[in-house]
Amino acid sequence: MSYPIEARACYTAPLEQTIDPLTARTGRSPKTMDASHQAIRRITCLGSGFVGGPTSAVIAYNSDVEVTVVDINHARISAWKSDQLPIYEPGLFQIVQAVRDGAPPGQQYTLSDTYGRPITTHSVRPKLLFSTDIDPAIAKADLIFVCVNTPTKAHGIGKGSAADLDFVEAATRTIARVATQSKIVVEKSTVPCRTAQSIREILAANAHPGVSFDVLSNPEFLAEGTAVRDLMYPDRIIIGSLPTAAGYRAAASLAEVYEQWVPRERIITMNLWSSELSKLAANALLAQRISSVNALSAICEATGADVDEVSYACGLDSRIGPHMLKAGPGFGGSCFQKDIFNIVYLSESLHLYEIADYWRAIINMNEHQKERFTKRIISCLYNNLAGKKLAVLGFAFKKDTSDTRGSPAITLVSNLVAERARVDIYDPRVPEHQIWRELADNGCNPDMLKQNVSVCQSAYAACEGADAVVLATEWDEFSNKPTVALSAAKDNKQPLASPKLGKYPSLSALTKLANQRASSLPSPHQTADSFRIPSRKSAGVVIKDPNNGEVKTFSSQRSSSGGVALRSLAANSTIALSPPRQMHDLTLQDPNVLHGVTTLSTRGMAENIPVSPTSFVPRQSTMANPMLQTISSPIDELFRAVEITTKPVLTRRLDWARIAGSMRKPMFVFDGRNILDHEKLEALGFRVEAIGKRGTAFRD
């Protein structure tokens, strides 16, 4: 069941991550954002892909602006109008549904992003439109986002490295032809540096008399799989403009749209060319980190070091940080490789050949990693794949997205098929037709594909009778490791602190407090802050103290409407009390349900912890610190943040014992993402090989 929702985002990023506005705006005075400017009431977005669709939805979700998304692709627009969106992003459907269809008057719901930041929702009119009627949408808009595709050129000068700007130019000419009033045109597609100058020249040369255009650069910094979070809680909003009065006014107009949910200190203005290059540079630096740790993974395999331990140690250095240091079969997606090639082509155009070689080496390392992983599979399977069946789990380039562009799985499957292996593929989010298209576009022989490749509807079907399982995407359901929160709870010896119960509260005191609070919970119809949840058979929550193993049960309180204010996730659910990562947390765990973990913390969710169908009731804090939230639940005296969902996901984790019973012997698992507990698998009889680690075969 889904719920129509609209949100006003409550920004709760840690204070230490807040950008210093004086440092961030070096070179341009913040006062330029105070220039008198036009208020934006209508936005049109040209392009409904991975950037245009989510960006438009979140702008409509958080502002008073009416947003129209247009595209020449009728099938894609029809999908955006349906309950089966053309792309998958966690939380995107709820947002689109709310602002596309509207929320009924007088109803309120609560939704949280994957990282546990609470969002209070409001009833609204529909204000997100999807259409293939492009000209009227351009004509009525105050501001136009250009979010069209900019693939790498496949022909002519710059083939294989330069960006193909055909769609950008076509969109620009359409704007000039249709617009009879002055517009702000925002370049949001990832483009080479100084593309805005070309857009300005085309608009000026084709504009109607008396019509002028202000061109801005507003690059997106979205990571697929977390696009909604990145839009709701951006690290920064970059707006590039000309250093003119008109440029400042246009930038101020766009900044005012973002200010409706993004703190002003995170909105940074700069010149056009810096803004364009900043997107390319950011992606190149991120890709550089991945290729660097992948290069180290080869050294780890040869020496006996563990790449996860090495990257963890390096990530603890505050100058380096932990992000993008996860070894794998190579990076994918539509941006990293394309943007590095843009920098390579730009460098060569400027006769900076050594610079071009430096950035090209990152791509070379990425391709080498894919080939190296394939060779390791072949070597472990006795240098012969002919007639053997391999199950490939995952085809998206990363988890929590349906995007397969540039996925390492494409190269991997193509290589396995070339070795005459039979390959069964399963991915929980990627449509079957998309898998076939990607493999065909990669040059696989169609007849060989039909003969040797199957797309399965479950992981168990893919693994049935397989000689080996290859983990290509880090979907949570494939992992057999305990969650981050539970691992930290088990290892941490410090009890939970409580503002009222003292630093080391006993479990009996916690139980008493919880039951007191449960008995006083309001009915969902008594306050606007309440949240109704379905009744379940279980009548309590089992709590286990990891410090001493003591177990207690919190009784649940049923409202007159039949909702349960506090209840367990499922049979044998547990709550672990712990402060992982130096945070005071409550963790709810159902060991059999994928999204069966919720962590409540003073700093929001730690990364990569699954969302839970269990919910608590958040309400706005009356405290002076806006970072903190109060929870109207049996534990609101203990915690100051809440994670809540309205659409439970009941996908179960993979049963590796069941898979072991269906495979041929010897059984191999190739962990391309390092998300598996190898000792547990080896106990089941698997021979495990992983990137950046010595495997079972070597130890034998």
Side-chain angles (χ1 to χ4, degrees), residues 267-567:
I267 302 174
I268 304 167
T269 58
M270 59 182 63
N271 75 52
L272 273 171
W273 329 126
S274 296
S275 177
E276 289 177 332
L277 187 56
S278 67
K279 172 57 189 296
L280 299 178
N283 278 346
L285 291 171
L286 292 173
Q288 179 191 55
R289 288 172 67 94
I290 296 174
S291 281
S292 295
V293 75
N294 281 342
L296 289 170
S297 73
I299 299 175
C300 289
E301 291 170 22
T303 61
D306 185 317
V307 71
D308 282 343
E309 294 176 346
V310 172
S311 61
Y312 175 71
C314 293
L316 293 175
D317 190 324
S318 60
R319 299 167 300 173
I320 299 174
H323 301 293
M324 309 300 282
L325 289 179
K326 185 70 173 176
F331 58 75
S334 65
C335 294
F336 284 2
Q337 180 164 301
K338 179 185 69 173
D339 292 353
I340 292 176
F341 275 139
N342 271 334
I343 293 180
V344 169
Y345 183 72
L346 176 63
S347 301
E348 291 177 337
S349 301
L350 299 172
H351 307 292
L352 302 172
Y353 300 111
E354 293 82 3
I355 307 304
D357 290 342
Y358 172 82
W359 291 110
R360 187 183 287 109
I362 295 172
I363 301 296
N364 294 340
M365 182 65 237
N366 195 57
E367 294 304 311
H368 172 68
Q369 186 76 347
K370 298 175 188 177
E371 298 297 329
R372 203 172 65 81
F373 188 44
T374 302
K375 290 178 180 178
R376 187 171 181 185
I377 294 172
I378 296 171
S379 175
C380 290
L381 292 174
Y382 315 111
N383 294 308
N384 175 35
L385 298 187
K388 293 179 180 177
K389 177 181 174 180
L390 282 77
V392 174
L393 301 186
F395 200 82
F397 83 92
K398 62 184 290 189
K399 73 173 185 177
D400 292 335
T401 181
S402 58
D403 195 356
T404 55
R405 291 174 293 179
S407 173
I410 300 171
T411 301
L412 176 64
V413 172
S414 299
N415 289 343
L416 296 178
V417 171
E419 294 289 328
R420 301 298 191 268
R422 293 186 297 113
V423 181
D424 281 14
I425 303 169
Y426 167 71
D427 189 285
R429 290 291 178 180
V430 178
E432 180 175 347
H433 69 84
Q434 190 171 325
I435 294 175
W436 292 117
R437 186 185 68 238
E438 291 284 11
L439 293 174
D441 290 347
N442 196 51
C444 285
N445 182 286
D447 294 332
M448 189 175 292
L449 279 179
K450 293 179 181 178
Q451 181 179 352
N452 292 347
V453 177
S454 299
V455 178
C456 301
Q457 299 304 308
S458 75
Y460 299 110
C463 296
E464 179 75 29
D467 294 274
V469 177
V470 182
L471 203 68
T473 308
E474 69 277 22
W475 288 103
D476 290 335
E477 68 181 80
F478 299 154
S479 177
N480 68 337
K481 286 184 177 180
T483 64
V484 174
L486 290 184
S487 297
K490 181 178 179 181
D491 297 335
N492 200 302
K493 303 302 182 182
Q494 294 298 321
L496 178 70
S498 167
K500 283 197 172 182
L501 298 175
K503 187 175 182 180
Y504 302 104
S506 65
L507 186 59
S508 59
L510 294 175
T511 306
K512 180 179 179 181
L513 174 62
N515 284 319
Q516 289 174 346
R517 302 304 261 173
S519 63
S520 63
L521 280 176
S523 163
H525 299 289
Q526 289 179 326
T527 69
D529 295 321
S530 60
F531 174 76
R532 185 178 182 277
I533 57 180
S535 175
R536 297 184 69 162
K537 292 182 179 180
S538 53
V541 175
V542 179
I543 296 183
K544 182 178 181 180
D545 185 344
N547 298 308
N548 56 25
E550 186 180 2
V551 176
K552 295 285 185 179
T553 300
F554 283 3
S555 64
S556 62
Q557 177 72 20
R558 297 178 181 271
S559 69
S560 58
S561 63
V564 180
L566 179 66
R567 87 282 190 211

Side-chain angles (χ1 to χ4, degrees), residues 100-123:
R100 181 193 66 190
D101 304 335
Q107 292 192 25
Q108 289 191 330
Y109 301 92
T110 303
L111 174 72
S112 172
D113 75 344
T114 306
Y115 288 74
R117 300 179 178 120
I119 303 169
T120 303
T121 62
H122 306 271
S123 302

